[in-house]
Amino acid sequence: MGYFLQQLINGMALGMIYGLIAIGYTMVYGIIGMINFAHGEIFMIGAFISFIAFIALGLIGIGWMPLALLIVLVATMLLTSVYGWALERVAYRPLRHSPRLAALITAIGMSIFLQNYVQLLQGARVKPMQPVVTGGVRFFELGEFAVAFSYLQMLIILITVGLMLGFTLIINRTALGRAQRACQQDLGMAALVGIDVDRTIALTFVLGACLASVAGLMFLLNYGVIDFYIGFVAGIKAFTAAVLGGIGSVPGAMLGGLLIGLIEAFWSAYFSVEYKDVATFAILILVLIFRPTGLLGKPDVEKV
Amino acid sequence: MRASTVPQLPFDWPRALKDAGMVAGVVVLLAIALLGFRIQDTSGGPPLAYRFDDVVAVALIAFLGRLGIAALRAQRAVPVLVGALVFAIALTAALVLGADEQQLFFRSTGLNGTIALAAWILSARAAWLVWHAASETSAELREARMDRLSAQVQRWSGWVGPLLLGLAVALPFLPWIDRRLLDIATLVATYIMLGWGLNIVVGLAGLLDLGYVAFYAVGAYSYALLALHFDLGFWLCLPFAGIMAAFAGILLGFPVLRLRGDYLAIVTLGFGEIVRIILLNWYKFTNGPDGLSGIPRPTFFGLPMVRDAPEGGHSFHSFFGLEYAPIDRVIFLYYLAIALALVTNLFTLRIRKLPIGRAWEALREDETACRSLGVHPRNTKLTAFAIGAMFGGFGGSFFATRQGFISPESFTFLESAIILAIVVLGGMGSQIGVVLAAILLIGLPEVFRDLNQYRMLAFGVAMVVIMTWRPRGLLAHREPTVRLGHGPPEERHEGPHA
């Protein structure tokens, strides 16, 4: 029971990270109907920028953790979102009216480029970081097993929930959110009623990159090691999460992320660590067979 | 036709400067963290190194480059030509003469070389404009011109194909060919074959498969395991490997092929990863990350390509009474790759004309219409998937026999992406486009192997640049089967785009 609870907490924290990345996929997919293949790389860049920011802050002597965290959070969101913007500008905008596969290839190209770019600039070796947020609450002693809820996990869940709330507000209440929802329904019509479609799409990429960068920061805090290759695996898992939850649906992405995180945690705990990714994909395939639009997705109506 | 014939629009300096400034600003924001700082691996020393001068250099180059492009667009080719040329010559000279790296823009020859190359390209473009006094053509015009060109190429394909084939056959005997080049040619031929195989799935049937490498892996491991455990030869195993791969394709395709578009893409991607993870972890069966080694080489009609003939038998050179030469085997493998690729190509060309091939192309265009005409979508797609997988399996067993060693590391997503890129860059459904793209994407980087660090970087950039330049692929050209209105009375091309 204690073990179960512990895995539940671990899985939730992991799932939050996947969920944040998945939102970026699902939003872009919802609007332009394309897989943003380089989104995982944006997440990786977010992690690297956070790492650099932490070291730089340490060097100039800002040691008080909440302040440092806040600065790192803002810095990484800001700088990573520029990458998101540039990605859209280079790989997607020129191909807006081209076959969809073309944009997929440019996105894969950008993904290869960004991976090697980071490898070249920061070196190929795994970068370890000292744990920044330590300690936690032991709130459940069952026999010999103590269930620990670390401050880090609390922080992850807290930030994610906060971001989710803010994000939902943006989507539901602001002009940008309205424009996004309009674009999601019909790009051409949205343009006709005076919505700047290019700007909306660019801002969608920026928002997605912001969330992915926060996920990168959390990944860095949670695991303490990063390398230039983390974006790929996290990216496909997050995309899996987006598909699982129903692509195009933001709550679906969060739900899918949580599910993937939980599946991973429980599968590693009770079955085998090696095959956790196999379990994730197998469940994805099963869900798609029985519910092709994902858990919260709307069925797409086929028009002739 | 001098420059005076083109009306000179006033050059909007403030706007161009502002635009270039913004680009430089974005570049600074992009570069400041990742280029400006470097995390140091060694413990003890300072944890960060600084490279702010590099950031300034990148921003400067972005500023000048953007300004140059803006000037080109406004017909100010001469100053750009002079500026870019001076810059390019100076930088190239400095690089060639081996100037102190610290004095140049970046601390690496590769980056400086890239900048020099970009300057050369810019000056070439400017020179072109000066010479032709032509305005920058619009995107549509350029596209139409390229379309005409690729239509031309495909009209020529009647003799370009045999010509290329002749060249390919003669290649090992050309005087300047050495072993390294022949190895590269073999690799290119392998990718051409894989590209043609995937083209059946992506180009003809329109199914986006991001996990093609899974079938490649199944083929490679099928052959390796059969050969190692049951002592079977390459030629006997080749059909088996193909069948196994096709079976894997059916196994995956049966449940998921009713999914559409991107769902299929993510599921195939997941399947590719599943196969790789299983190969990595099922130690008893696949030897895990250590891989399988000692995979036997193919024989030439039962004659092994070795120095010492097996007891009581002949080897290739002793049977034909030749001197033993190690290059023989390389040449043999090269011809094998060409032969396999040709089989794939012929198969595709023929099956396109069969009802099933027609059904694939029709399904790609409109699934609903097909269904109403009585084409069973899933079964039709399944055949395409299985046949594509089969050729992937052939490619895999060739890979295994050529390398003599396989491990899960060779079957990553990157391989799938490269093969898909070859198909899409070549122009979907175009057979000769695949050849062109494979030479561009596989051959060129291999030739520049020495620039190892920058190879994949340039690979990614090339994918983006080519795709932006020609979104429908290098040789994308499709003759409509039915024309409306009064199109030019061109001869119709019903036949295959060879």
Side-chain angles (χ1 to χ4, degrees):
Chain A
M1 182 62 193
Y3 191 53
F4 177 83
L5 267 180
Q6 183 68 67
Q7 291 309 322
L8 191 70
I9 295 171
N10 293 349
M12 287 239 305
L14 188 62
M16 294 282 175
I17 296 179
Y18 287 144
L20 279 181
I21 311 174
I23 292 176
Y25 279 110
T26 218
M27 277 198 310
V28 167
Y29 194 91
I31 291 187
I32 53 176
M34 285 172 193
I35 305 177
N36 178 7
F37 231 94
H39 195 56
E41 281 13 282
I42 298 282
F43 155 80
M44 178 268 293
I45 283 175
F48 265 89
I49 292 179
S50 317
F51 197 173
I52 290 169
F54 266 121
I55 303 178
L57 284 182
L59 285 182
I60 56 175
I62 298 179
W64 190 51
M65 207 24 78
L67 180 65
L69 263 180
L70 191 71
I71 296 177
V72 170
L73 190 72
V74 171
T76 182
M77 277 169 94
L78 204 74
L79 291 178
T80 313
S81 60
V82 182
Y83 275 91
W85 182 84
L87 172 72
E88 195 268 340
R89 191 73 191 73
V90 171
Y92 283 92
R93 192 175 298 183
L95 296 169
R96 186 92 12 108
H97 304 292
S98 306
R100 289 151 41 92
L101 261 186
L104 182 77
I105 296 295
T106 51
I108 293 177
M110 280 309 278
S111 161
I112 294 174
F113 169 78
L114 288 175
Q115 252 181 42
N116 287 279
Y117 162 82
V118 172
Q119 182 192 8
L120 200 65
L121 293 180
Q122 299 294 333
R125 271 202 245 156
V126 171
K127 312 262 181 272
M129 193 179 81
Q130 309 286 326
V132 180
V133 184
T134 48
V137 208
R138 300 177 147 220
F139 69 112
F140 216 81
E141 303 252 356
L142 274 170
E144 294 168 17
F145 199 84
V147 179
F149 198 2
S150 69
Y151 290 135
L152 180 60
Q153 285 166 332
M154 282 184 212
L155 188 77
I156 288 177
I157 293 176
L158 215 69
I159 293 185
T160 310
V161 171
L163 274 176
M164 277 302 293
L165 286 179
F167 192 72
T168 317
L169 274 181
I170 290 182
I171 296 270
N172 288 333
R173 293 287 153 87
T174 63
L176 171 65
R178 262 196 304 284
Q180 274 180 330
R181 279 177 290 145
C183 288
Q184 195 159 0
Q185 286 178 2
D186 193 323
L187 274 184
M189 270 313 284
L192 275 182
V193 296
I195 289 170
D196 188 343
V197 171
D198 276 346
R199 184 168 161 270
T200 311
I201 294 176
L203 281 176
T204 306
F205 272 82
V206 166
L207 276 181
C210 268
L211 295 183
S213 72
V214 178
L217 169 63
M218 290 173 176
F219 183 93
L220 173 71
L221 293 175
N222 200 20
Y223 289 95
V225 281
I226 53 172
D227 60 43
F228 70 97
Y229 202 64
I230 57 172
F232 174 66
V233 178
I236 54 175
K237 283 214 193 119
F239 187 72
T240 305
V243 173
L244 193 64
I247 198 146
S249 144
V250 174
M254 212 57 227
L255 177 71
L258 270 181
L259 278 179
I260 298 273
L262 289 174
I263 291 166
E264 227 186 281
F266 283 119
W267 191 277
S268 317
Y270 291 105
F271 300 101
S272 69
V273 183
E274 291 90 22
Y275 289 108
K276 64 178 191 272
D277 295 354
V278 175
T280 314
F281 292 126
I283 283 173
L284 170 78
I285 294 178
L286 283 179
V287 167
L288 284 181
I289 291 169
F290 293 109
R291 228 189 121 69
T293 50
L295 295 175
L296 297 185
K298 291 184 221 82
D300 51 337
V301 184
E302 210 169 309
K303 288 180 209 147
V304 181
Chain B
M1 279 292 280
R2 297 313 304 174
S4 57
T5 58
V6 180
Q8 291 243 333
L9 302 163
F11 187 52
D12 192 351
W13 271 104
R15 199 167 143 233
L17 282 177
K18 199 177 135 206
D19 187 45
M22 266 175 57
V23 170
V26 168
V27 167
V28 167
L29 282 181
L30 288 177
I32 186 80
L34 288 174
L35 179 62
F37 298 95
R38 187 188 162 102
I39 305 167
Q40 296 299 92
D41 291 324
T42 47
S43 54
L48 276 184
Y50 306 99
R51 294 177 293 200
F52 293 127
D53 45 345
D54 284 358
V55 177
V56 174
V58 185
L60 197 68
I61 287 164
F63 184 81
L64 289 178
R66 182 72 193 183
L67 209 58
I69 290 172
L72 277 190
R73 292 219 172 116
Q75 315 299 335
R76 299 295 191 283
V78 181
V80 176
L81 175 63
V82 174
L85 209 57
V86 168
F87 187 83
I89 290 173
L91 192 55
T92 314
L95 279 176
V96 171
L97 296 176
D100 184 9
E101 292 286 342
Q102 298 289 337
Q103 307 284 314
L104 294 174
F105 289 98
F106 299 110
R107 293 182 199 122
S108 83
T109 316
L111 276 180
N112 281 318
T114 316
I115 303 289
L117 188 69
W120 279 113
I121 291 173
L122 189 63
S123 42
R125 180 83 189 122
W128 167 269
L129 282 182
V130 170
W131 186 254
H132 285 267
S135 59
E136 177 104 337
T137 45
S138 69
E140 286 87 28
L141 266 175
R142 202 182 53 202
E143 190 76 350
R145 207 169 56 205
M146 283 299 293
D147 274 351
R148 272 205 302 283
L149 189 68
S150 49
Q152 196 77 35
V153 170
Q154 280 173 0
R155 207 160 304 139
W156 293 337
S157 62
W159 56 270
V160 168
L163 191 77
L164 276 178
L165 181 62
L167 190 69
V169 170
L171 190 75
F173 304 105
L174 296 178
W176 63 87
I177 293 295
D178 55 3
R179 189 181 160 152
R180 185 167 151 263
L181 281 176
L182 210 53
D183 272 336
I184 295 175
T186 314
L187 194 69
V188 171
T190 319
Y191 275 96
I192 290 175
M193 178 198 174
L194 289 170
W196 278 338
L198 185 62
N199 207 359
I200 297 175
V201 184
V202 180
L204 294 190
L207 303 167
L208 182 48
D209 184 352
L210 287 179
Y212 196 60
V213 78
F215 308 122
Y216 188 50
V218 168
Y221 271 87
S222 302
Y223 167 56
L225 290 170
L226 282 173
L228 291 175
H229 290 301
F230 300 104
D231 204 24
L232 298 176
F234 174 74
W235 294 103
L236 198 60
C237 291
L238 189 66
F240 271 118
I243 291 170
M244 294 291 269
F247 188 67
I250 292 173
L251 211 64
L252 171 69
F254 196 73
V256 304
L257 274 178
R258 63 192 188 123
L259 301 175
R260 313 179 49 153
D262 299 304
Y263 288 101
L264 185 65
I266 190 72
V267 169
T268 47
L269 173 60
F271 181 70
E273 281 298 295
I274 289 179
V275 167
R276 196 179 62 86
I277 295 166
I278 290 176
L279 292 178
L280 205 57
N281 290 309
W282 194 359
Y283 200 86
K284 267 186 227 155
F285 187 58
T286 65
N287 216 12
D290 303 340
L292 297 166
S293 54
I295 300 165
R297 305 286 185 176
T299 57
F300 181 78
F301 293 101
L303 299 170
M305 293 270 182
V306 287
R307 180 186 293 277
D308 302 309
E311 272 176 60
H314 278 291
S315 68
F316 178 72
H317 65 102
S318 68
F319 186 82
F320 288 103
L322 302 165
E323 275 297 299
Y324 174 73
I327 191 95
D328 280 353
R329 202 186 72 211
V330 181
I331 295 175
F332 173 57
L333 281 172
Y334 170 72
Y335 279 132
L336 190 57
I338 296 278
L340 283 172
L342 273 183
V343 169
T344 318
N345 187 27
L346 284 180
F347 184 89
T348 314
L349 293 185
R350 302 307 302 171
I351 205 165
R352 258 184 128 149
K353 299 196 166 179
L354 290 179
I356 183 79
R358 299 269 195 235
W360 289 340
E361 292 196 81
L363 258 182
R364 176 190 65 200
E365 301 300 332
D366 193 332
E367 191 168 329
T368 318
C370 271
R371 206 183 294 211
S372 66
L373 287 172
V375 175
H376 192 304
R378 192 180 62 193
N379 288 0
T380 313
K381 285 180 185 172
L382 205 54
T383 48
F385 214 63
I387 288 171
M390 180 181 77
F391 285 113
F394 289 159
S397 38
F398 175 76
F399 175 77
T401 196
R402 174 168 174 252
Q403 303 287 106
F405 166 78
I406 49 172
S407 75
E409 229 166 82
S410 314
F411 307 105
T412 56
F413 169 68
L414 189 66
E415 289 300 308
S416 294
I418 289 175
I419 302 168
L420 183 69
I422 287 175
V423 173
V424 179
L425 283 181
M428 298 233 294
S430 160
Q431 295 289 87
I432 210 146
V434 168
V435 178
L436 191 67
I439 292 172
L440 267 179
L441 283 187
I442 306 297
L444 276 187
E446 283 297 319
V447 174
F448 294 107
R449 186 117 228 172
D450 306 336
L451 300 169
N452 207 357
Q453 259 187 314
Y454 302 94
R455 213 161 55 97
M456 289 316 287
L457 201 71
F459 185 83
V461 174
M463 273 166 82
V464 176
V465 169
I466 298 178
M467 220 62 241
T468 322
W469 180 56
R470 286 280 293 163
R472 288 184 298 127
L474 288 171
L475 290 183
H477 172 72
R478 243 182 233 156
E479 280 289 314
T481 328
V482 180
R483 275 182 193 285
L484 290 176
H486 304 283
E490 272 181 276
E491 48 178 317
R492 259 178 51 189
H493 290 276
E494 262 240 64
H497 306 301

